[in-house]
């Protein structure tokens, strides 16, 4: 079955990148899938997190501001146990720094298990996959370039 069919039947969890690509393919704004808020300040306060409103078990907390000519994005991902995202490719570089829990990340042909304090930096063009094989929520600081979300997806 196609990935879209799996999403429609709640058999697959789309990542933000998948939703961005689906929005581009259907020529709709990303706000069709994700409620985004243009951040007018470069400061994000801990007691006022910008949480993306998306139908996903993963909680996405945006740390970066929407800047003109933005070159990167930063998020905290909270990934529940048992979540296993499909393999994807993306233009650019990704960096994961695990804050708590455990993650299994496949980057290219290599699979890595990372624990709190571990980091992984790789070229997402070679494909990647993320899984939480643990029993606790995995909290990870993610940064990537180019940015996943902009105010207007071309």
């Amino acid at each position: 079955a196609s990935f879209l069919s799996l999403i429609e039947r709640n058999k697959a969890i789309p990542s933000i990148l998948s939703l961005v690509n689906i929005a581009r393919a259907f020529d709709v704004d990303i706000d069709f899938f994700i409620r985004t808020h243009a951040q007018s300040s470069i400061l994000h306060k801990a007691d006022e997190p910008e949480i993306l409103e998306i139908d996903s078990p993963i909680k996405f907390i945006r740390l970066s501001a929407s800047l003109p000519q933005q070159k990167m994005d930063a998020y905290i991902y909270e990934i529940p146990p048992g979540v296993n995202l499909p393999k994807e490719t993306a233009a650019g570089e990704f960096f994961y720094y695990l804050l708590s829990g455990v993650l299994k990340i496949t980057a290219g042909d290599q699979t890595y298990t990372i624990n709190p304090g571990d980091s992984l930096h790789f070229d997402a063009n070679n494909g990647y996959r993320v899984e939480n094989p643990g029993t606790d929520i995995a909290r990870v600081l993610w940064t990537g370039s180019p940015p996943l979300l902009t105010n207007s997806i071309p």
Side-chain angles (χ1 to χ4, degrees), residues 118-135:
D118 294 345
S119 63
L120 196 60
H121 180 198
F122 58 90
D123 182 346
N125 286 295
N126 297 323
Y128 67 96
R129 181 183 195 110
V130 177
E131 175 185 357
N132 180 351
T135 57

Side-chain angles (χ1 to χ4, degrees), residues 72-77 92-99 103 105 107 114 117-124 128 130 140-146:
M72 62 166 284
D73 255 337
Y75 291 85
I76 298 286
Y77 294 166
E93 297 179 34
F94 287 0
F95 177 86
Y96 289 81
Y97 177 82
L98 195 62
L99 302 167
L103 281 180
I105 299 175
I114 62 172
D118 294 345
S119 63
L120 196 60
H121 180 198
F122 58 90
D123 182 346
Y128 67 96
V130 177
V140 63
L141 169 65
W142 176 92
T143 62
S145 177

Side-chain angles (χ1 to χ4, degrees), residues 38-50 62-67:
Q39 184 70 20
S40 61
S41 172
I42 60 172
L43 173 66
H44 280 259
K45 302 287 273 176
D47 60 349
E48 299 172 13
E50 181 184 348
R62 191 168 190 200
L63 302 176
S64 49
S66 296
L67 301 174

